Amino acid sequence: MTEWTGVRDKRVLITGATRGIGLAAAQALARRGAKLAIVARDDARGAAAVTSIEGEGGSTVDLLRADLTSQASIRALADEVLERYPRIDVLINNAGAIFAQRELTVDGIERTWALNHLAPFLLTTLLLDRLRAGSSPRRQMRTRESSSRSTT
């Protein structure tokens, strides 16, 4: 059976790729030749994820840093992405968590709500024109978000 290579040489931006489903997805995409850019909040976990992903395939992975609970950080991330990449073919909004204690972000928004709902909406909105420009008319753009692990 031939392995699917539909993402070969496509620019894929993925949040939440430092562990879990996001890391597994990034590894699979790297094996299929995607040009990956991952978003991480923590430099050490991001660097470890890059090493792991690059070990899976021949792809070089770009590491972008952002705190997706902060709207200013999301806006800065979008600015960097738009500056660095003339084309974005796929955006995977995978970052998510459920925080055991209620906590407000720097923007005064409940942290779980900010990360799981507002962050993917804002990032997608800010990148939408570039995503549309990168897509062929027959291809759909899909985003995914998951909350697979509780964080305290």
Side-chain angles (χ1 to χ4, degrees):
M1 174 184 264
T2 306
E3 192 169 274
W4 177 73
T5 58
V7 293
R8 182 171 310 284
D9 296 323
K10 303 292 186 211
R11 171 60 60 195
V12 178
L13 176 64
I14 181 168
T15 68
T18 59
R19 62 181 177 192
I21 293 168
L23 179 58
Q27 291 168 333
L29 290 165
R31 283 193 301 272
R32 289 163 177 80
K35 295 178 181 177
L36 288 174
I38 67 167
V39 179
R41 181 185 69 240
D42 179 88
D43 290 332
R45 280 204 343 224
V50 167
T51 300
S52 174
I53 296 162
E54 288 179 346
E56 289 289 322
S59 297
T60 300
V61 179
D62 293 339
L63 176 61
L64 307 173
R65 190 180 181 297
D67 176 356
L68 298 178
T69 66
S70 162
Q71 292 186 4
S73 185
I74 295 166
R75 290 179 187 282
L77 170 64
D79 288 345
E80 181 179 359
V81 168
L82 292 172
E83 185 177 312
R84 288 179 73 167
Y85 307 117
R87 180 180 174 123
I88 305 166
D89 297 293
V90 178
L91 169 61
I92 302 173
N93 284 307
N94 181 68
I98 299 171
F99 301 98
Q101 301 293 321
R102 183 177 191 281
E103 183 180 335
L104 297 181
T105 67
V106 295
D107 302 304
I109 301 166
E110 196 280 322
R111 193 171 177 202
T112 300
W113 180 255
L115 179 60
N116 294 343
H117 301 284
L118 298 182
F121 177 81
L122 181 57
L123 184 59
T124 301
T125 299
L126 294 170
L127 299 178
L128 195 56
D129 287 342
R130 185 69 48 92
L131 284 159
R132 285 182 175 149
S135 297
S136 73
R138 297 181 318 180
R139 194 172 17 170
Q140 290 184 340
M141 177 198 64
R142 295 179 188 246
T143 60
R144 182 174 183 321
E145 171 200 337
S146 72
S147 298
S148 59
R149 182 176 280 194
S150 285
T151 305
T152 55

